[in-house]
Amino acid sequence: MDLTLQEQRILESLSTLSYRTDDLTGYLKEITLNVSRLLQIDWSTVTLCQNGFERVLASSIDFEGMDQLFSLHGSVTNTVVTTGRTLTVEDVRQNLETGEVPDGYLCYLGVPLRTARGETIGTICSFHRQPRQFDDSEIRTAELFAERAATAIDNYRLYQLQLQFNDRLETEVALRTAELKAAQTQLMEQERLAAIGEFAAMIVHEIRNPLTTMTMGLKYAQKQLQHDFSQERLALSVNEAHRLERLLSELLTYAKPQTLRLEVLELNTWLQTLLSSMSKLPEAQGRRINFTGTSDKVKILGDRDKLKQVMINLLRNACEASPIAEAVNCEIECLKPAFVCVQVCNQGEVIPPEVLSKLGQPFFSTKAEGTGLGLAIVNRIVKAHKGQLLIQSDDSGTCVAVQLPIMRAQPSSND
């Protein structure tokens, strides 16, 4: 069958169209240029219509309103989208009921963009400055290009949805992978600490028995030897033996798994009681311990004895670092809705950053006779309570913060 010259031009134009998912704008631009050229019309656009508004995706001429939203109300485009059928207007001045067109244009050809699912998602709009008619072949030409545009837009939307799904899937996989790695790391750490605990318990047992015997011998010698020089040497030896005993006890405490005996603690009352007894400690003599609680009761689930160990350690350190007659401040602050923060602050000298970063590491201590396990044990106890230990130091002093989860309110039986 012989093709007319116009049909040959249409086929050539359709065959030159090349759609890529990453260049939808360029593809739609080619469609508008082909429609305007084949129909010999002044201006053609491809619009996307959603929720009563249209957006121009491509235009055959430069257009300042690209990507802006325009109301469909009262426009010829609205008529096309509403009816879902092709609309031709020879002269809008004689057909005002079909809707308005842009200023300066009198003729209109609108073709709906329909997806394979029958959804109308936009239009191909063609405008001409002079009145004119469109024959069936011209309408069919515009409809052929409308099919290509609708398919391209629909495929692009599906492609974008696939990309979004892939991004969400990658994010979810990365999150689950991170959680799995964290769980594996925690399990390995628990296994490592359990092995260290068993080994430490064995070593402590093997050392503690002969150390006890040696200490008893030194104390016996202190009673028997009256020479001042001998007493001085023996006192030094006994002190070292006691220091080793403390080291063994702290090593065993650090290495043992943190098994918690949880109970409900109201922090304000519990801390006030603890601080009143702390004032009698040797480290607290000559220093004031100020307490600032919360107006509301704050309850946590905690191990009373282990958290007492945490607070005694932090308050002793604060008192030792604080000058005589200066105050040590203990404050409770709610980090609603999930956490409460207990801060212990002193007005001592600033801790250098290189030292601050090492605090809490096992066997690191700034004290001449420190074991380096006090803060390490504190850190383990806080972590066992699903909390966090934070240390800050500047010219105003040093603050150690213990963040703990607040106990969730239990629903009443009437709820």
Short mmCIF file of all heavy atoms in Angstrom, two decimals, residues 4 7 19 44 54 85-86 176 202 266 268 336 360 385:
data_model
loop_
_atom_site.label_atom_id
_atom_site.label_comp_id
_atom_site.label_asym_id
_atom_site.label_seq_id
_atom_site.Cartn_x
_atom_site.Cartn_y
_atom_site.Cartn_z
N THR A 4 1.01 8.17 1.75
CA THR A 4 1.03 9.57 1.37
C THR A 4 2.29 10.22 1.95
O THR A 4 2.95 9.68 2.85
CB THR A 4 -0.19 10.31 1.89
OG1 THR A 4 -0.14 10.33 3.34
CG2 THR A 4 -1.47 9.63 1.43
N GLU A 7 1.92 10.77 5.68
CA GLU A 7 2.08 9.54 6.45
C GLU A 7 3.55 9.14 6.56
O GLU A 7 4.00 8.66 7.61
CB GLU A 7 1.26 8.42 5.80
CG GLU A 7 -0.25 8.60 5.96
CD GLU A 7 -1.04 7.59 5.15
OE1 GLU A 7 -0.49 7.08 4.15
OE2 GLU A 7 -2.20 7.31 5.54
N TYR A 19 13.47 6.91 23.43
CA TYR A 19 13.17 7.21 24.85
C TYR A 19 14.17 6.52 25.77
O TYR A 19 14.45 5.34 25.63
CB TYR A 19 11.75 6.75 25.19
CG TYR A 19 11.45 6.82 26.67
CD1 TYR A 19 11.41 8.06 27.32
CD2 TYR A 19 11.24 5.67 27.42
CE1 TYR A 19 11.16 8.15 28.67
CE2 TYR A 19 10.98 5.75 28.78
CZ TYR A 19 10.94 6.98 29.40
OH TYR A 19 10.69 7.06 30.73
N SER A 44 2.92 23.70 20.86
CA SER A 44 2.44 22.42 21.42
C SER A 44 3.13 22.18 22.77
O SER A 44 4.31 22.51 22.94
CB SER A 44 2.75 21.26 20.47
OG SER A 44 2.03 21.39 19.26
N GLU A 54 -2.36 21.46 36.52
CA GLU A 54 -1.53 20.94 35.44
C GLU A 54 -0.15 21.55 35.52
O GLU A 54 0.04 22.67 35.99
CB GLU A 54 -2.16 21.23 34.07
CG GLU A 54 -2.18 22.69 33.67
CD GLU A 54 -2.63 22.91 32.23
OE1 GLU A 54 -2.41 22.00 31.40
OE2 GLU A 54 -3.19 23.98 31.95
N ARG A 85 -11.54 12.66 26.25
CA ARG A 85 -11.64 12.57 24.79
C ARG A 85 -10.90 13.73 24.14
O ARG A 85 -10.72 14.79 24.74
CB ARG A 85 -13.10 12.59 24.34
CG ARG A 85 -13.90 11.37 24.79
CD ARG A 85 -15.21 11.28 24.04
NE ARG A 85 -16.05 12.46 24.25
CZ ARG A 85 -16.95 12.56 25.22
NH1 ARG A 85 -17.12 11.55 26.07
NH2 ARG A 85 -17.70 13.65 25.33
N THR A 86 -10.51 13.52 22.88
CA THR A 86 -9.85 14.56 22.10
C THR A 86 -10.81 15.72 21.87
O THR A 86 -12.00 15.52 21.61
CB THR A 86 -9.36 14.01 20.76
OG1 THR A 86 -8.41 12.97 21.01
CG2 THR A 86 -8.70 15.10 19.93
N ARG A 176 19.37 -3.37 58.83
CA ARG A 176 19.34 -4.71 59.41
C ARG A 176 20.75 -5.30 59.49
O ARG A 176 21.08 -6.00 60.45
CB ARG A 176 18.44 -5.63 58.57
CG ARG A 176 16.97 -5.22 58.60
CD ARG A 176 16.38 -5.44 59.99
NE ARG A 176 15.01 -4.96 60.07
CZ ARG A 176 14.65 -3.83 60.63
NH1 ARG A 176 15.57 -3.06 61.18
NH2 ARG A 176 13.39 -3.45 60.67
N MET A 202 40.03 -17.46 88.12
CA MET A 202 41.05 -18.46 88.42
C MET A 202 42.34 -17.78 88.90
O MET A 202 42.93 -18.19 89.91
CB MET A 202 41.34 -19.29 87.17
CG MET A 202 42.39 -20.38 87.38
SD MET A 202 42.77 -21.25 85.86
CE MET A 202 43.60 -19.94 84.93
N GLU A 266 13.00 5.33 92.66
CA GLU A 266 12.63 6.73 92.44
C GLU A 266 13.89 7.54 92.70
O GLU A 266 14.39 7.63 93.81
CB GLU A 266 11.51 7.14 93.39
CG GLU A 266 10.74 8.39 92.93
CD GLU A 266 11.55 9.66 93.10
OE1 GLU A 266 11.91 9.97 94.25
OE2 GLU A 266 11.82 10.34 92.09
N ASN A 268 14.99 10.70 92.84
CA ASN A 268 15.13 11.81 93.79
C ASN A 268 15.34 11.30 95.21
O ASN A 268 16.30 11.68 95.89
CB ASN A 268 13.89 12.71 93.74
CG ASN A 268 13.82 13.52 92.46
OD1 ASN A 268 14.48 14.53 92.32
ND2 ASN A 268 13.02 13.06 91.52
N LYS A 336 13.31 14.05 78.45
CA LYS A 336 12.06 13.41 78.07
C LYS A 336 12.02 13.16 76.59
O LYS A 336 12.62 13.89 75.81
CB LYS A 336 10.87 14.29 78.52
CG LYS A 336 10.71 14.32 80.02
CD LYS A 336 9.48 15.11 80.43
CE LYS A 336 9.29 15.08 81.94
NZ LYS A 336 8.10 15.82 82.36
N GLY A 360 37.89 5.75 81.43
CA GLY A 360 36.95 4.64 81.26
C GLY A 360 37.59 3.42 80.64
O GLY A 360 37.00 2.34 80.64
N HIS A 385 22.67 -1.31 82.19
CA HIS A 385 21.35 -0.70 82.41
C HIS A 385 20.81 -0.03 81.15
O HIS A 385 19.86 0.74 81.21
CB HIS A 385 21.44 0.34 83.53
CG HIS A 385 21.46 -0.24 84.91
ND1 HIS A 385 22.61 -0.75 85.48
CD2 HIS A 385 20.49 -0.42 85.84
CE1 HIS A 385 22.35 -1.19 86.71
NE2 HIS A 385 21.06 -1.00 86.95
#
